Amino acid sequence: MLKETEIDRFLLMLADYGIKSENEFADSFFGEYEGNEDDVLQQFVQDWCALAKGCLPKQLLKQNDSAKLWHELIQFDFHRFVFNGNTYFFKRNY
């Protein structure tokens, strides 16, 4: 359970990324993953590819590793930050 001060810190972090209202949060939130290591990034990229339309993301995933896809392509569409041991992904354009 989060304390009020932790909630306030989380809201301030969101505001730093331009997310200031409930609607902006709902529109931009992509996912929360436990941890902050490479396995989180790998799971996120797999989830992103599964939800993306068309065959291109699946072909990219087969041809590249998750870290390379993140650095060369996906990071430009998402904010990623770690808070209290969890990694959060928010869409930059919503």
Side-chain angles (χ1 to χ4, degrees), residues 12-44:
L12 286 173
M13 288 181 77
L14 291 174
D16 287 343
Y17 291 100
I19 303 166
K20 298 177 183 173
S21 71
E22 291 177 39
N23 289 338
E24 290 174 337
F25 180 91
D27 291 342
S28 64
F29 181 76
F30 183 87
E32 173 187 11
Y33 297 80
E34 188 175 331
N36 56 11
E37 301 298 325
D38 290 337
D39 58 330
V40 168
L41 188 59
Q42 181 179 4
Q43 184 61 52
F44 166 79

Short mmCIF file of all heavy atoms in Angstrom, two decimals, residues 12-44:
data_model
loop_
_atom_site.label_atom_id
_atom_site.label_comp_id
_atom_site.label_asym_id
_atom_site.label_seq_id
_atom_site.Cartn_x
_atom_site.Cartn_y
_atom_site.Cartn_z
N LEU A 12 3.81 13.82 -8.97
CA LEU A 12 4.80 14.79 -9.43
C LEU A 12 5.62 14.23 -10.59
O LEU A 12 5.93 14.96 -11.54
CB LEU A 12 5.72 15.22 -8.28
CG LEU A 12 5.10 16.15 -7.25
CD1 LEU A 12 6.05 16.35 -6.07
CD2 LEU A 12 4.74 17.48 -7.88
N MET A 13 5.96 12.97 -10.51
CA MET A 13 6.69 12.33 -11.62
C MET A 13 5.84 12.34 -12.88
O MET A 13 6.33 12.65 -13.96
CB MET A 13 7.09 10.90 -11.26
CG MET A 13 8.19 10.80 -10.26
SD MET A 13 8.65 9.10 -9.92
CE MET A 13 9.62 8.74 -11.37
N LEU A 14 4.57 12.01 -12.75
CA LEU A 14 3.68 12.04 -13.91
C LEU A 14 3.60 13.45 -14.50
O LEU A 14 3.64 13.62 -15.72
CB LEU A 14 2.28 11.56 -13.52
CG LEU A 14 2.13 10.08 -13.18
CD1 LEU A 14 0.72 9.80 -12.69
CD2 LEU A 14 2.47 9.22 -14.37
N ALA A 15 3.50 14.44 -13.64
CA ALA A 15 3.43 15.82 -14.12
C ALA A 15 4.68 16.22 -14.89
O ALA A 15 4.60 16.97 -15.86
CB ALA A 15 3.20 16.77 -12.95
N ASP A 16 5.84 15.68 -14.49
CA ASP A 16 7.08 15.95 -15.22
C ASP A 16 7.01 15.43 -16.65
O ASP A 16 7.71 15.93 -17.53
CB ASP A 16 8.28 15.30 -14.51
CG ASP A 16 8.67 16.03 -13.24
OD1 ASP A 16 8.25 17.19 -13.05
OD2 ASP A 16 9.40 15.42 -12.43
N TYR A 17 6.17 14.44 -16.89
CA TYR A 17 5.98 13.88 -18.23
C TYR A 17 4.74 14.45 -18.92
O TYR A 17 4.33 13.96 -19.97
CB TYR A 17 5.88 12.35 -18.15
CG TYR A 17 7.18 11.70 -17.76
CD1 TYR A 17 7.40 11.27 -16.46
CD2 TYR A 17 8.20 11.51 -18.68
CE1 TYR A 17 8.59 10.69 -16.08
CE2 TYR A 17 9.40 10.93 -18.33
CZ TYR A 17 9.59 10.52 -17.02
OH TYR A 17 10.78 9.94 -16.66
N GLY A 18 4.15 15.49 -18.32
CA GLY A 18 3.00 16.14 -18.94
C GLY A 18 1.67 15.48 -18.66
O GLY A 18 0.66 15.81 -19.29
N ILE A 19 1.63 14.55 -17.73
CA ILE A 19 0.40 13.84 -17.39
C ILE A 19 -0.14 14.46 -16.11
O ILE A 19 0.41 14.24 -15.02
CB ILE A 19 0.67 12.33 -17.22
CG1 ILE A 19 1.28 11.77 -18.49
CG2 ILE A 19 -0.60 11.61 -16.82
CD1 ILE A 19 1.90 10.40 -18.33
N LYS A 20 -1.21 15.26 -16.24
CA LYS A 20 -1.67 16.05 -15.10
C LYS A 20 -3.12 15.81 -14.71
O LYS A 20 -3.58 16.34 -13.72
CB LYS A 20 -1.46 17.53 -15.40
CG LYS A 20 0.01 17.86 -15.60
CD LYS A 20 0.21 19.31 -15.96
CE LYS A 20 1.69 19.55 -16.21
NZ LYS A 20 1.96 20.87 -16.73
N SER A 21 -3.84 15.01 -15.47
CA SER A 21 -5.24 14.77 -15.13
C SER A 21 -5.55 13.28 -15.20
O SER A 21 -4.77 12.49 -15.74
CB SER A 21 -6.16 15.53 -16.09
OG SER A 21 -6.13 14.93 -17.38
N GLU A 22 -6.71 12.91 -14.68
CA GLU A 22 -7.15 11.52 -14.74
C GLU A 22 -7.29 11.05 -16.18
O GLU A 22 -6.91 9.93 -16.52
CB GLU A 22 -8.49 11.35 -14.03
CG GLU A 22 -8.45 11.52 -12.55
CD GLU A 22 -9.84 11.41 -11.94
OE1 GLU A 22 -10.65 10.56 -12.40
OE2 GLU A 22 -10.13 12.18 -11.00
N ASN A 23 -7.85 11.90 -17.02
CA ASN A 23 -8.04 11.54 -18.42
C ASN A 23 -6.70 11.34 -19.14
O ASN A 23 -6.55 10.41 -19.93
CB ASN A 23 -8.88 12.58 -19.15
CG ASN A 23 -10.33 12.55 -18.73
OD1 ASN A 23 -10.81 11.55 -18.22
ND2 ASN A 23 -11.01 13.66 -18.92
N GLU A 24 -5.75 12.23 -18.87
CA GLU A 24 -4.43 12.08 -19.48
C GLU A 24 -3.76 10.80 -19.01
O GLU A 24 -3.11 10.11 -19.79
CB GLU A 24 -3.55 13.30 -19.16
CG GLU A 24 -3.99 14.55 -19.87
CD GLU A 24 -3.24 15.78 -19.45
OE1 GLU A 24 -2.67 15.83 -18.35
OE2 GLU A 24 -3.23 16.74 -20.25
N PHE A 25 -3.93 10.47 -17.73
CA PHE A 25 -3.38 9.23 -17.21
C PHE A 25 -4.01 8.04 -17.93
O PHE A 25 -3.31 7.15 -18.42
CB PHE A 25 -3.62 9.11 -15.70
CG PHE A 25 -3.08 7.85 -15.10
CD1 PHE A 25 -1.80 7.81 -14.60
CD2 PHE A 25 -3.85 6.70 -15.05
CE1 PHE A 25 -1.28 6.63 -14.05
CE2 PHE A 25 -3.35 5.52 -14.51
CZ PHE A 25 -2.06 5.50 -14.01
N ALA A 26 -5.33 8.03 -18.01
CA ALA A 26 -6.03 6.91 -18.64
C ALA A 26 -5.67 6.77 -20.11
O ALA A 26 -5.51 5.65 -20.62
CB ALA A 26 -7.55 7.09 -18.48
N ASP A 27 -5.51 7.89 -20.80
CA ASP A 27 -5.20 7.85 -22.22
C ASP A 27 -3.76 7.44 -22.50
O ASP A 27 -3.46 6.84 -23.53
CB ASP A 27 -5.46 9.21 -22.87
CG ASP A 27 -6.93 9.56 -22.94
OD1 ASP A 27 -7.77 8.64 -22.81
OD2 ASP A 27 -7.24 10.76 -23.11
N SER A 28 -2.84 7.78 -21.60
CA SER A 28 -1.43 7.54 -21.87
C SER A 28 -0.87 6.27 -21.24
O SER A 28 0.15 5.76 -21.69
CB SER A 28 -0.60 8.74 -21.40
OG SER A 28 -0.68 8.89 -20.00
N PHE A 29 -1.53 5.74 -20.22
CA PHE A 29 -0.99 4.57 -19.51
C PHE A 29 -0.94 3.35 -20.43
O PHE A 29 -1.92 3.02 -21.09
CB PHE A 29 -1.85 4.26 -18.29
CG PHE A 29 -1.36 3.09 -17.49
CD1 PHE A 29 -0.27 3.21 -16.66
CD2 PHE A 29 -1.98 1.86 -17.59
CE1 PHE A 29 0.18 2.13 -15.92
CE2 PHE A 29 -1.54 0.77 -16.86
CZ PHE A 29 -0.45 0.91 -16.03
N PHE A 30 0.23 2.70 -20.46
CA PHE A 30 0.36 1.46 -21.24
C PHE A 30 0.50 0.26 -20.33
O PHE A 30 -0.13 -0.76 -20.55
CB PHE A 30 1.56 1.53 -22.19
CG PHE A 30 1.66 0.30 -23.05
CD1 PHE A 30 0.99 0.23 -24.25
CD2 PHE A 30 2.41 -0.80 -22.66
CE1 PHE A 30 1.05 -0.90 -25.05
CE2 PHE A 30 2.49 -1.94 -23.45
CZ PHE A 30 1.81 -1.99 -24.64
N GLY A 31 1.36 0.36 -19.32
CA GLY A 31 1.53 -0.80 -18.45
C GLY A 31 2.45 -0.55 -17.28
O GLY A 31 3.23 0.39 -17.25
N GLU A 32 2.30 -1.42 -16.29
CA GLU A 32 3.14 -1.43 -15.10
C GLU A 32 3.73 -2.82 -14.98
O GLU A 32 3.01 -3.82 -15.09
CB GLU A 32 2.31 -1.10 -13.86
CG GLU A 32 3.05 -1.25 -12.56
CD GLU A 32 2.14 -1.09 -11.34
OE1 GLU A 32 0.90 -1.06 -11.50
OE2 GLU A 32 2.68 -1.04 -10.23
N TYR A 33 5.03 -2.89 -14.76
CA TYR A 33 5.73 -4.17 -14.67
C TYR A 33 6.54 -4.19 -13.38
O TYR A 33 7.20 -3.22 -13.05
CB TYR A 33 6.66 -4.36 -15.86
CG TYR A 33 5.95 -4.41 -17.19
CD1 TYR A 33 5.54 -3.25 -17.83
CD2 TYR A 33 5.66 -5.62 -17.78
CE1 TYR A 33 4.88 -3.30 -19.04
CE2 TYR A 33 5.00 -5.67 -19.00
CZ TYR A 33 4.62 -4.51 -19.63
OH TYR A 33 3.96 -4.56 -20.82
N GLU A 34 6.48 -5.31 -12.68
CA GLU A 34 7.25 -5.46 -11.46
C GLU A 34 8.72 -5.61 -11.81
O GLU A 34 9.09 -6.46 -12.61
CB GLU A 34 6.77 -6.68 -10.68
CG GLU A 34 7.40 -6.78 -9.31
CD GLU A 34 6.82 -7.93 -8.50
OE1 GLU A 34 5.65 -8.28 -8.70
OE2 GLU A 34 7.57 -8.46 -7.67
N GLY A 35 9.54 -4.76 -11.23
CA GLY A 35 10.98 -4.82 -11.46
C GLY A 35 11.47 -3.70 -12.35
O GLY A 35 10.70 -2.88 -12.84
N ASN A 36 12.78 -3.66 -12.54
CA ASN A 36 13.37 -2.61 -13.36
C ASN A 36 14.57 -3.10 -14.16
O ASN A 36 15.42 -2.33 -14.56
CB ASN A 36 13.77 -1.40 -12.50
CG ASN A 36 14.72 -1.76 -11.38
OD1 ASN A 36 15.24 -2.86 -11.32
ND2 ASN A 36 14.93 -0.84 -10.48
N GLU A 37 14.63 -4.37 -14.41
CA GLU A 37 15.75 -4.96 -15.13
C GLU A 37 15.40 -5.23 -16.58
O GLU A 37 14.33 -4.89 -17.06
CB GLU A 37 16.18 -6.25 -14.42
CG GLU A 37 16.59 -6.07 -12.98
CD GLU A 37 17.80 -5.17 -12.80
OE1 GLU A 37 18.71 -5.19 -13.65
OE2 GLU A 37 17.83 -4.42 -11.81
N ASP A 38 16.31 -5.89 -17.28
CA ASP A 38 16.13 -6.18 -18.70
C ASP A 38 14.91 -7.05 -18.98
O ASP A 38 14.30 -6.92 -20.03
CB ASP A 38 17.38 -6.89 -19.25
CG ASP A 38 18.56 -5.95 -19.34
OD1 ASP A 38 18.35 -4.72 -19.40
OD2 ASP A 38 19.70 -6.44 -19.35
N ASP A 39 14.54 -7.92 -18.04
CA ASP A 39 13.38 -8.77 -18.28
C ASP A 39 12.10 -7.95 -18.37
O ASP A 39 11.18 -8.30 -19.10
CB ASP A 39 13.25 -9.86 -17.21
CG ASP A 39 13.16 -9.32 -15.80
OD1 ASP A 39 13.72 -8.25 -15.54
OD2 ASP A 39 12.53 -9.99 -14.96
N VAL A 40 12.03 -6.82 -17.68
CA VAL A 40 10.88 -5.93 -17.78
C VAL A 40 10.81 -5.34 -19.18
O VAL A 40 9.75 -5.32 -19.80
CB VAL A 40 10.95 -4.81 -16.72
CG1 VAL A 40 9.92 -3.73 -16.99
CG2 VAL A 40 10.76 -5.38 -15.33
N LEU A 41 11.95 -4.88 -19.68
CA LEU A 41 11.98 -4.31 -21.02
C LEU A 41 11.60 -5.35 -22.06
O LEU A 41 10.84 -5.07 -22.99
CB LEU A 41 13.37 -3.73 -21.32
CG LEU A 41 13.49 -2.93 -22.61
CD1 LEU A 41 12.53 -1.75 -22.62
CD2 LEU A 41 14.91 -2.46 -22.79
N GLN A 42 12.11 -6.55 -21.89
CA GLN A 42 11.77 -7.63 -22.82
C GLN A 42 10.27 -7.92 -22.81
O GLN A 42 9.64 -8.06 -23.85
CB GLN A 42 12.55 -8.90 -22.47
CG GLN A 42 12.27 -10.04 -23.42
CD GLN A 42 13.09 -11.28 -23.07
OE1 GLN A 42 13.82 -11.32 -22.09
NE2 GLN A 42 12.96 -12.30 -23.88
N GLN A 43 9.67 -7.99 -21.63
CA GLN A 43 8.23 -8.25 -21.53
C GLN A 43 7.43 -7.11 -22.14
O GLN A 43 6.45 -7.33 -22.86
CB GLN A 43 7.81 -8.46 -20.08
CG GLN A 43 6.35 -8.82 -19.92
CD GLN A 43 5.99 -10.12 -20.63
OE1 GLN A 43 6.64 -11.13 -20.43
NE2 GLN A 43 4.97 -10.07 -21.47
N PHE A 44 7.85 -5.87 -21.88
CA PHE A 44 7.16 -4.72 -22.46
C PHE A 44 7.20 -4.77 -23.99
O PHE A 44 6.19 -4.57 -24.65
CB PHE A 44 7.78 -3.41 -21.97
CG PHE A 44 7.33 -2.22 -22.78
CD1 PHE A 44 6.09 -1.66 -22.57
CD2 PHE A 44 8.15 -1.70 -23.77
CE1 PHE A 44 5.66 -0.58 -23.33
CE2 PHE A 44 7.73 -0.63 -24.54
CZ PHE A 44 6.49 -0.06 -24.31
#
